[in-house]
Amino acid sequence: MRVLADLREGDHRLTRWVASWQSTCVRRALPAVEETAEHTKLWWGAAVALSTAGWRGRRAAAAGVASMAVAELASNCVLKQVWNRRRPPKEWISHEEVHHRPDSSSFPSGHTAAGVAFSAAVAGVWPWAGAVCAVPAVMVATERVHTGAHYPSDVAVGTVVGLAAAALVHRAPRLTARMLL
């Protein structure tokens, strides 16, 4: 299984590289964004803000929240239960944030799935707002690797889960209409 060995090696190298970032901006901005994203607070706050921007904002917020819920369900209630993956070894992380990691399965990144799902769904309704939401979503995904909470492959699969959730929510009304007709 050379592919799995290559994936493990890539995870190892990329995790060590991202964890080694010493920039003051990185050390302050990433944890701050992740803290606001904890328990999806950031995305709920964005939904409230979008809801004040007229019908398009309300539609974007509803799509974002629905997609986030689907992504959270898929990542945290299904995939994490099926694949119980340990967090990256502490030795790979070159700073003190490594001690503040969850005990749950590493695979996939639920934070990433939620942020990507919300941002992608918002972008489907209101592209400019979705692009704005994508910035903190990328920062959260990066922070998850930087602190050793996730392997890069966990974040990649979380991204796929988030995109799939947004696509499903986007197509759900048409699929439901087809089934009813």
Side-chain angles (χ1 to χ4, degrees):
M1 293 305 264
R2 185 68 193 151
V3 172
L4 289 177
D6 288 345
L7 180 60
R8 277 189 216 102
E9 178 59 27
D11 267 345
H12 179 215
R13 292 167 75 200
L14 192 53
T15 299
R16 288 183 76 113
W17 178 66
V18 172
S20 72
W21 294 348
Q22 297 297 321
S23 161
T24 304
C25 181
V26 167
R27 307 287 260 178
R28 288 186 182 155
L30 292 182
V33 171
E34 193 281 330
E35 176 61 32
T36 61
E38 193 67 34
H39 305 295
T40 66
K41 293 180 297 218
L42 174 62
W43 313 119
W44 281 102
V48 168
L50 284 167
S51 295
T52 66
W55 69 268
R56 193 176 198 185
R58 287 188 295 277
R59 198 167 145 229
V65 168
S67 295
M68 179 178 63
V70 170
E72 288 273 297
L73 179 68
S75 64
N76 295 334
C77 298
V78 176
L79 295 173
K80 281 185 185 282
Q81 305 309 312
V82 173
W83 284 283
N84 189 15
R85 185 179 194 188
R86 294 175 59 190
R87 303 287 170 165
K90 292 180 180 183
E91 299 77 41
W92 291 9
I93 314 304
S94 59
H95 51 79
E96 66 280 350
E97 282 87 6
V98 72
H99 300 293
H100 306 290
R101 301 183 317 164
D103 294 328
S104 62
S105 175
S106 177
F107 182 86
S109 170
H111 284 78
T112 302
V116 169
F118 185 87
S119 301
V122 167
V125 175
W126 195 357
W128 181 87
V132 170
C133 291
V135 173
V138 168
M139 291 175 74
V140 167
T142 303
E143 186 277 342
R144 303 309 288 163
V145 175
H146 185 260
T147 59
H150 288 286
Y151 295 94
S153 57
D154 299 336
V155 169
V157 172
T159 299
V160 170
V161 168
L163 292 172
L168 178 65
V169 167
H170 178 72
R171 288 178 180 78
R174 285 180 284 228
L175 293 173
T176 303
R178 282 187 193 157
M179 289 182 354
L180 295 176
L181 295 176

